[in-house]
Amino acid sequence: MPLDPKQLEQVSRATLAHYRHSAEAFREGTRDHDVSQNIAALLRHLTFPAPLRILDLGCGPGRDLQTFRQLGHAPVGLDGCPEFARMARDNGFEVWLQDFLALDLPSQSFHGVFANASLFHVPGQELPRVLQQLRQTLLPGGVLFTSNPRGDNQEGWNGERYGAYYDWPRWRSLVEAAGFSELEHYYRPTGMPRAQQPWLASVWRRV
């Protein structure tokens, strides 16, 4: 049953409140997470000359913005949590404070979009629209990276946060329908049995 506007507002409000209340603990707990495999997956498919303009969707406190900048690129962060935006801005980054369900993105402005552990918070009924918005903000030939907890195509509340959890066939059909072609996909962490790989990562080119 589709969520009504009030329910969608509650999804955003409660999920963002969770991150607001745990912002400092989240920063400390994720500071040393190694997502170099994901960053490399995005960058190896970008054929534009550097520096690359990259939108870090759900940038959090700015860990990956720092990596992109150290690699010589021009990242811009986007997050719906004011505390995360402040943390990243304090380190000199441009960060847009936007709710994922109310994105206001410039057209054809980015070479790449890095959506690491973020899009799974978008309710399924809204995901096609959000993916279209990400496609529109990419330059022709631009690349979208996504990484989300995988599941059996179910969604709902997990404590204070809302999440949608897809298997590969369903995720592929959703992203392809939004106007992307698959470049690669893989499961994380690398080298573990599939049952111990909760993350599904995928890379897509705007067509």
Side-chain angles (χ1 to χ4, degrees):
M1 188 144 180
L3 301 172
D4 63 32
K6 233 179 218 188
Q7 290 171 315
L8 289 172
E9 183 183 346
Q10 172 63 12
V11 164
S12 283
R13 185 168 60 246
T15 301
L16 288 171
H18 167 84
Y19 286 112
R20 295 190 71 172
H21 295 151
S22 60
E24 188 60 44
F26 183 92
R27 175 166 64 176
E28 293 308 310
T30 60
R31 186 188 300 274
D32 296 325
H33 282 191
D34 181 6
V35 296
S36 56
Q37 180 185 17
N38 295 344
I39 289 172
L42 170 68
L43 295 179
R44 71 169 154 264
H45 292 290
L46 286 168
T47 57
F48 305 93
L52 299 169
R53 186 165 163 86
I54 297 169
L55 177 66
D56 187 350
L57 185 82
C59 66
R63 178 198 63 208
D64 302 331
L65 292 171
Q66 183 70 35
T67 300
F68 284 122
R69 182 165 66 183
Q70 289 172 345
L71 292 171
H73 301 301
V76 173
L78 184 151
D79 209 284
C81 173
E83 286 73 15
F84 285 162
R86 176 187 55 77
M87 290 173 178
R89 287 169 178 163
D90 284 348
N91 286 318
F93 293 105
E94 179 181 357
V95 180
W96 301 344
L97 184 62
Q98 294 188 24
D99 188 317
F100 290 174
L101 300 186
L103 293 174
D104 182 16
L105 301 176
S107 179
Q108 297 190 20
S109 292
F110 293 96
H111 301 107
V113 172
F114 188 66
N116 187 69
S118 55
L119 285 175
F120 75 99
H121 286 313
V122 176
Q125 71 190 59
E126 303 300 306
L127 185 61
R129 174 177 62 84
V130 172
L131 288 171
Q132 284 280 359
Q133 290 174 306
L134 296 181
R135 181 185 180 278
Q136 289 300 319
T137 204
L138 282 168
L139 290 157
V143 174
L144 167 67
F145 171 87
T146 73
S147 178
N148 297 300
R150 62 188 182 90
D152 298 318
N153 306 314
Q154 297 176 337
E155 62 183 277
W157 292 98
N158 181 6
E160 300 170 323
R161 302 184 302 169
Y162 192 92
Y165 309 96
Y166 301 101
D167 62 17
W168 169 242
R170 179 60 178 151
W171 182 250
R172 178 177 57 195
S173 69
L174 286 164
V175 185
E176 286 180 342
F180 291 92
S181 62
E182 183 199 349
L183 294 168
E184 64 173 299
H185 77 277
Y186 55 90
Y187 297 89
R188 280 175 52 86
T190 301
M192 302 294 288
R194 183 58 49 82
Q196 297 175 40
Q197 292 178 311
W199 293 92
L200 170 61
S202 55
V203 192
W204 309 84
R205 192 175 305 283
R206 171 184 167 158
V207 294

